[in-house]
Amino acid sequence: MGETVRSHTADYRVRPLSGTGTPIPGPSPARRAAQAVDALRHGWPIALAAGPVLLPVETAVASQAKAGRMLVSSARAATLKLTNQRAAAEPNAPVLIRGAEAFDLRAALPIADPALDLAAPLKGPFVAETLDFEEAAIAALELARIAGILPAFLVDSSDAGEAQPFDPADIAHLADRDRLVIVTRAKLPVTASADAQIIAFRSADDLREHVALVMGQQSGDRVPLVRLHSECLTGDALGSLKCDCGPQLDAALAQMAQEAADNGGWGVLLYMRQEGRGIGLVNKLRAYRLQDEGFDTVDANQRLGLPDESRDFGTAARMLELLGVPAIRLLTNNPRKVDALIEAGVTTVERVPHQLPDNPHNTRYLATKRDRSGHLLE
């Protein structure tokens, strides 16, 4: 389709070797941020520039670590009755807490994970302390979300181990979409259409590999029907009835195939590796467990200390740019997708409704999308 397939090269900034003036390679801000994400996944601490050392509670390998303070989100602090009404209205804001005794990992994990509230009653009293590294704390909570772990840290813990340096300003470079490139393509006959192509995208500092499925013949004279579909293992592959993701995916593919067959048009499915609206598979399953206890999808995410919507629609815009698609007809009931793509520079000439019937297991889920997330009925 005219684009160039590129490979990645090392991304370094040059800095002088201390005491010699000789330049040596040093990691770029994007690379440092990626290394910090990797550290959190492995359970290693990160050292904030102009801030403390933070040890991720969920993955920490320093089993003997202890700390007098913890960093959590406002939504989790609300569970401990530590937020006022104004703070509670910002569920993703950072809160610094102190307990009557030092936190070890065994005591810290139930504070981080609301699914453990009943199995491990919280041992207070707890108090909220003044947070003098708020910008860095906000970046750390976002870094935890990107890593797919619970947003909770021991602060300046003993026996934390060697820390990975992290400057809060680095996190913005993880969204450097110019680093996303097409790496390969292939023919992929699918049930909906035997004449389809799959295109793979990769960014040097992101483990997620997105794909596009193109049906029909790309034409500059025809605006394609486009569907942004965020990965849902439970719905897409396992047939979960808790959501409508699987049926939405199947219906979108069928509609795009029909578009190509009947009208000489074409369609593009962008399959985004953004499980759980950006919180990751494990945290999505934690939210499912909370839904089993009666919470809706929004409240379940907030009890985990995570946003109810954190997908990166700008990456989808970059994928369309690489495919040479300046204008689209968007298959969605979510106005946020339309607004996000327009903001990212994609001309959306039409919103095509994409409504499917509910079932006894997802009625409340669909109502929550409508009533709390602004999804349209048609």
Side-chain angles (χ1 to χ4, degrees), residues 201-244:
F201 302 78
R202 179 188 289 158
S203 177
D205 296 317
D206 191 344
L207 293 178
R208 298 170 300 177
E209 296 167 333
H210 310 290
V211 299
L213 191 71
V214 177
M215 294 186 183
Q217 186 63 40
Q218 181 169 352
S219 168
D221 298 330
R222 302 295 296 269
V223 177
L225 182 65
V226 173
R227 171 70 182 170
L228 272 63
H229 188 88
S230 296
E231 177 184 34
C232 178
L233 172 69
T234 50
D236 299 342
L238 303 179
S240 168
L241 298 176
K242 287 177 70 75
C243 64
D244 59 345

Side-chain angles (χ1 to χ4, degrees), residues 249-267:
L249 176 60
D250 293 340
L253 292 174
Q255 193 164 340
M256 287 188 293
Q258 196 71 34
E259 183 89 4
D262 291 351
N263 305 320
W266 59 296

Side-chain angles (χ1 to χ4, degrees), residues 52 60 262 273-274 283 325:
D262 291 351
R273 301 293 301 278
Q274 302 185 125
N283 282 330
V325 182

Side-chain angles (χ1 to χ4, degrees), residues 7 52 93 99 171 218 242 354:
S7 61
I171 199 167
Q218 181 169 352
K242 287 177 70 75
H354 194 48

Side-chain angles (χ1 to χ4, degrees), residues 115-182:
L116 302 178
D117 284 353
L118 297 180
L122 303 178
K123 298 179 180 179
F126 303 103
V127 295
E129 295 194 339
T130 301
L131 183 63
D132 57 6
F133 57 99
E134 184 172 8
E135 180 181 353
I138 291 171
L141 294 183
E142 175 65 4
L143 207 64
R145 181 197 66 78
I146 294 170
I149 66 173
L150 293 166
F153 298 89
L154 294 184
V155 179
D156 281 336
S157 63
S158 60
D159 298 320
E162 184 177 355
Q164 169 68 37
F166 173 65
D167 188 323
D170 293 345
I171 199 167
H173 295 273
L174 281 178
D176 184 359
R177 299 178 187 98
D178 288 340
R179 298 173 61 78
L180 188 75
V181 297
I182 291 176

